[in-house]
């Protein structure tokens, strides 16, 4: 895949995930009636809405801000777990099939965003740029 195509695809998938998580987090923190009713229908306590809303906002911010690759890894994992857990909850409660499809689709987009992220947003890049020079310096000091 060409670098520009990969970059565009990364930002498109990331944008969709961030928009969904951020807007969902706002709706949950605002206690939108449809959000509260949906959580009750799934069998979750209302206070759980506040917890999810808070973490969705933080996770979406972590994905768009520069640096902090470890935090981004946690955000991707949290979004994936949240969306797959939501899919299972909707399935078990026999909600409409589109609820399951949308949440699994968002989980897939999060995986796609994670897989397409630039090297500057990965943990491996951080290790390569910081660990290797230190190791070489250590080997030089041992050899001297």
């Amino acid at each position: 895949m060409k670098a520009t195509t990969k970059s565009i695809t990364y930002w498109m998938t990331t944008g969709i995930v961030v928009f969904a998580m951020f807007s969902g987090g706002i709706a949950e923190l605002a206690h939108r009636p449809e959000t509260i009713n949906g959580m009750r229908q799934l069998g979750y306590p209302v206070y759980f809405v506040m917890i999810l809303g808070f973490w969705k906002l933080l996770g979406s911010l972590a994905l768009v801000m520069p640096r902090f690759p470890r935090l981004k890894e946690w955000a991707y994992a949290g979004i994936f777990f949240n969306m797959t857990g939501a899919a299972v909850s909707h399935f078990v409660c026999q909600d409409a099939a589109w609820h399951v499809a949308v949440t699994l689709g968002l989980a897939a987009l999060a995986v796609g965003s994670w897989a397409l992220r630039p090297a500057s947003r990965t943990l491996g890049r951080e290790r390569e740029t910081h660990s290797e020079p230190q190791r070489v310096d250590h080997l030089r000091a041992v050899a001297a």
Side-chain angles (χ1 to χ4, degrees):
M1 181 182 293
K2 285 178 53 176
T4 55
T5 305
K6 183 178 177 182
S7 180
I8 290 168
T9 307
Y10 163 75
W11 281 110
M12 287 177 59
T13 57
T14 303
I16 294 167
V17 169
V18 166
F19 175 76
M21 292 301 104
F22 194 82
S23 61
I26 294 289
E28 289 165 347
L29 291 175
H31 279 258
R32 300 276 309 163
E34 41 296 331
T35 303
I36 300 299
N37 293 338
M39 290 300 273
R40 283 189 179 131
Q41 182 180 343
L42 293 174
Y44 294 107
V46 174
Y47 71 84
F48 196 56
V49 173
M50 295 298 287
I51 296 168
L52 286 177
F54 176 76
W55 287 111
K56 282 181 181 180
L57 286 180
L58 291 181
S60 62
L61 292 174
L63 293 185
V64 295
M65 66 186 206
R67 295 187 297 269
F68 306 105
R70 186 171 312 279
L71 185 60
K72 289 180 192 327
E73 293 285 328
W74 281 83
Y76 279 119
I79 290 167
F80 180 80
F81 296 147
N82 180 252
M83 291 297 102
T84 54
V88 170
S89 296
H90 286 294
F91 180 78
V92 168
C93 290
Q94 299 177 341
D95 273 349
W98 70 267
H99 286 290
V100 177
V102 166
T103 52
L104 287 178
L106 284 169
L109 284 171
V111 170
S113 172
W114 175 84
L116 293 167
R117 69 199 190 286
S120 63
R121 292 176 169 256
T122 65
L123 284 173
R125 167 121 169 116
E126 183 179 80
R127 282 192 199 120
E128 289 171 14
T129 58
H130 296 300
S131 298
E132 203 57 38
Q134 291 171 356
R135 187 170 154 213
V136 170
D137 289 343
H138 174 71
L139 291 175
R140 285 183 188 148
V142 170

